Amino acid sequence: MKIDNFKNRFVLFLLFSAFLSATNAQEKPNVVVIVMDNLGWGEIGAYGGGLLRGAETPRLDKLASEGMQLLNFNVEPQCTPSRSALMTGRHPIRSGTTKVVWGLPYGLVGWEKTMAELFSEQGYATAMYGKWHLGDMKGRYPTDQGFDEWYGIANTTDESQYTSQAGYDPTVVSPPQIVEATKGSTPKKVKEYNVDTRRTIDGELTEKSIDFMKRQVQDNKPFFLYLPYTLAHLPTLPNPKFEGKSGNGSWGDVLMEIDSNTGQILDAIDDLKVRENTIVIWMSENGPEEAPNWFGTAGYWRGFYFTALEGSLRTPCLIRWPGKIPEGQKSNEIVHMTDVMPTLADVAGYKVPSDRIIDGVDQMPLFKGETTKSEREGFPVYNGDDMFAYKWRNFKIHYYKHESMFDKPVKHNFPRVHDLLRDPKELYGIHGGDDSTGAQNLTWVLPAITHQVLKFQATLKEEPPIILGTPEPYKPKR
């Protein structure tokens, strides 16, 4: 009899433990991070584009009204640096991911701690569907760095044009592939990535993302979904389902597709009844394309990616968390891509790594409306391995003249200072435009920002940067 009672109590204990585990899993918010590729600040309706760019974007405009719309969200000038900043919370100069390269060993070393690894350690299911661009070798694939599953491309979308270019030789450059993998496994080739599959890949990424969310909800498991789409990177070609739909050419068709894909993800979150417990972050990781035939727009700002101009650095970013982030909020406070990882730490239950320098800061109080001020005043702007500019408060210093990705950077004999409130196009240099009191002299900004620059440079001596091309295994020198 006593044995039966013990068994009954033990069974109840196991059931209660399972219940608590399930309850804790439900309490952790799901996180969906949707990233567009080279979509400029001025493309969607909420940022002044939409109909003016050839197609309305009703789903994204509605998402903008359902949480916070950031007007001063900042990224890196190139793809690889932006994605490493997002994944690690560290400036790319620290991690050896400062530039886009072709045919060379590159990417995040295994020692780096990614956001996916942090989520996974807290019991989250993790998946990535889309473009990685942080390494195409063993040990540096997404499924080597925290993701349970991955479907997409290792590098960049312009590779889809290789096989149709004049003189292409597959014996020298292998046809690019769409691949899939699970944690720790070698990616398997699914099909060739060419101009035809380039048109359909974002639709596939959407379908696979929805399936992933369904599976995790059924298993009552919190999930982290990283969805880096391939649009609007060149070649900016729409899915055949959207061809001609806008009546305003391929770019309008692409805007319709971008809006529709996001809408499908949001609808799936609603259908799965996890809207209230899901954080959605939608952003672009670079300013607009400048390449002929595919160029986009930065709207209010000037410039394209691969430069340090505001058009390169400021991109759209929308954040929704029902009941936690007030609806209809806009902020012009500085937020940087490195802030995403530490901002999600408390809500997901992970700790920001303490054995390395983390540049990102927790911006959740700003997003929740608990404060109107950002936790940061500025940041350095590296283009490659050189600091091209420093942005601080409403001011910005340029150390190089570099108007286009196709131009050779020329170092200024004297740094150019801009007041971004008075001089948003960064045209007037140290005077920042004229006002009713006469010339707006900004020389005081030089020593103020120089102090910030020296502080940052000191951290590079404290923790020497990882060099691009560093082999595995990497161990820090300090």
Side-chain angles (χ1 to χ4, degrees):
M1 194 70 172
K2 288 182 180 179
I3 293 175
D4 289 340
N5 287 337
F6 174 78
K7 286 182 177 180
N8 290 337
R9 288 197 299 272
F10 184 66
V11 169
L12 288 172
F13 171 76
L14 291 177
L15 291 172
F16 183 66
S17 298
F19 171 77
L20 284 178
S21 177
T23 301
N24 289 336
Q26 292 169 354
E27 288 176 353
K28 287 186 176 182
N30 308 306
V31 177
V32 176
V33 177
I34 302 172
V35 179
M36 305 311 303
D37 197 354
N38 303 348
L39 187 74
W41 199 91
E43 297 292 0
I44 70 171
Y47 286 85
L51 195 58
L52 292 179
R53 295 293 290 149
E56 294 183 279
T57 52
R59 298 307 304 273
L60 287 167
D61 299 347
K62 188 172 188 299
L63 177 62
S65 71
E66 293 173 337
M68 177 166 278
Q69 178 181 359
L70 297 180
L71 304 179
N72 203 345
F73 179 73
N74 298 268
V75 298
E76 298 289 324
Q78 302 179 31
C79 290
T80 294
S82 273
R83 290 159 194 266
S84 79
L86 175 65
M87 283 291 108
T88 66
R90 287 156 51 83
H91 286 304
I93 190 67
R94 302 195 191 283
S95 58
T97 54
T98 55
K99 64 186 77 174
V100 171
V101 298
W102 289 265
L104 299 172
Y106 81 101
L108 288 174
V109 298
W111 173 82
E112 290 286 351
K113 196 81 168 181
T114 70
M115 187 161 53
E117 290 175 290
L118 296 173
F119 272 106
S120 184
E121 289 170 2
Q122 293 303 312
Y124 276 75
T126 59
M128 178 193 152
Y129 301 105
K131 168 183 166 178
W132 179 234
H133 218 178
L134 289 176
D136 58 359
M137 57 188 285
K138 184 179 179 181
R140 297 186 184 179
Y141 291 116
T143 42
D144 296 321
Q145 296 187 310
F147 288 100
D148 296 329
E149 51 191 85
W150 169 44
Y151 179 93
I153 57 174
N155 296 313
T156 182
T157 291
D158 52 275
E159 289 185 348
S160 66
Q161 300 175 112
Y162 285 0
T163 56
S164 55
Q165 289 176 342
Y168 169 72
D169 186 349
T171 65
V172 178
V173 176
S174 299
Q177 300 289 317
I178 296 173
V179 301
E180 63 181 355
T182 55
K183 181 171 284 188
S185 69
T186 301
K188 297 179 180 178
K189 298 176 182 178
V190 177
K191 53 189 168 184
E192 187 178 291
Y193 192 41
N194 53 41
V195 291
D196 292 325
T197 54
R198 189 270 172 280
R199 289 182 179 270
T200 56
I201 188 172
D202 277 18
E204 289 184 279
L205 302 178
T206 302
E207 292 173 0
K208 290 182 180 295
S209 295
I210 292 171
D211 176 69
F212 170 76
M213 292 191 294
K214 285 181 178 178
R215 285 186 277 122
Q216 308 320 314
V217 171
Q218 289 172 356
D219 291 342
N220 197 37
K221 190 168 186 178
F223 59 81
F224 169 52
L225 168 63
Y226 176 43
L227 176 51
Y229 281 116
T230 66
L231 289 171
H233 195 293
L234 70 86
T236 314
L237 302 170
N239 189 297
K241 294 178 182 178
F242 291 89
E243 187 86 48
K245 291 291 185 181
S246 71
N248 288 314
S250 291
W251 199 270
D253 298 342
V254 163
L255 280 181
M256 291 184 70
E257 181 180 354
I258 288 171
D259 192 67
S260 174
N261 286 338
T262 301
Q264 290 179 62
I265 298 296
L266 297 175
D267 286 344
I269 290 171
D270 287 349
D271 293 342
L272 292 168
K273 296 179 172 49
V274 293
R275 177 190 178 104
E276 305 300 314
N277 198 37
T278 301
I279 300 170
V280 176
I281 302 175
W282 182 95
M283 68 171 78
S284 177
E285 46 75 88
N286 273 142
E289 293 278 4
E290 187 179 6
N293 301 326
W294 314 113
F295 62 89
T297 181
Y300 185 76
W301 312 103
R302 182 170 72 94
F304 300 87
Y305 71 161
F306 279 81
T307 74
L309 293 166
E310 286 297 284
S312 171
L313 304 181
R314 288 207 204 198
T315 64
C317 184
L318 312 172
I319 307 167
R320 185 185 80 180
W321 191 9
K324 303 291 194 305
I325 296 176
E327 295 185 2
Q329 302 299 303
K330 293 185 180 183
S331 174
N332 191 39
E333 290 291 296
I334 293 177
V335 177
H336 192 268
M337 204 167 203
T338 54
D339 297 340
V340 177
M341 187 266 275
T343 295
L344 296 172
D346 282 346
V347 297
Y350 60 75
K351 291 184 178 180
V352 173
S354 58
D355 63 341
R356 64 202 69 193
I357 294 174
I358 300 295
D359 298 292
V361 295
D362 182 2
Q363 299 284 15
M364 192 58 77
L366 174 67
F367 300 160
K368 286 184 174 182
E370 297 168 358
T371 179
T372 58
K373 295 296 182 181
S374 170
E375 287 296 313
R376 70 163 62 247
E377 286 196 310
F379 59 91
V381 182
Y382 277 82
N383 197 1
D385 294 325
D386 297 313
M387 189 185 295
F388 273 42
Y390 198 101
K391 185 169 172 177
W392 179 73
R393 297 183 180 176
N394 293 317
F395 304 104
K396 190 168 168 195
I397 281 185
H398 280 277
Y399 299 108
Y400 287 84
K401 179 180 175 60
H402 190 218
E403 305 286 311
S404 165
M405 66 182 289
F406 302 109
D407 293 342
K408 180 180 179 181
V410 178
K411 193 163 187 176
H412 287 304
N413 187 48
F414 193 83
R416 301 276 288 183
V417 185
H418 302 270
D419 179 346
L420 296 173
L421 293 179
R422 295 284 295 115
D423 182 21
K425 303 291 186 185
E426 299 166 275
L427 294 172
Y428 298 106
I430 203 160
H431 294 298
D434 293 332
D435 58 25
S436 59
T437 62
Q440 185 186 19
N441 201 313
L442 300 176
T443 52
W444 77 272
V445 177
L446 285 165
I449 290 185
T450 299
H451 177 67
Q452 301 299 319
V453 170
L454 292 174
K455 279 175 56 179
F456 182 81
Q457 290 175 337
T459 69
L460 298 179
K461 293 179 180 179
E462 176 188 344
E463 182 183 292
I466 297 170
I467 305 301
L468 176 65
T470 294
E472 300 289 352
Y474 169 79
K475 292 184 179 180
K477 294 179 181 179
R478 64 178 183 133

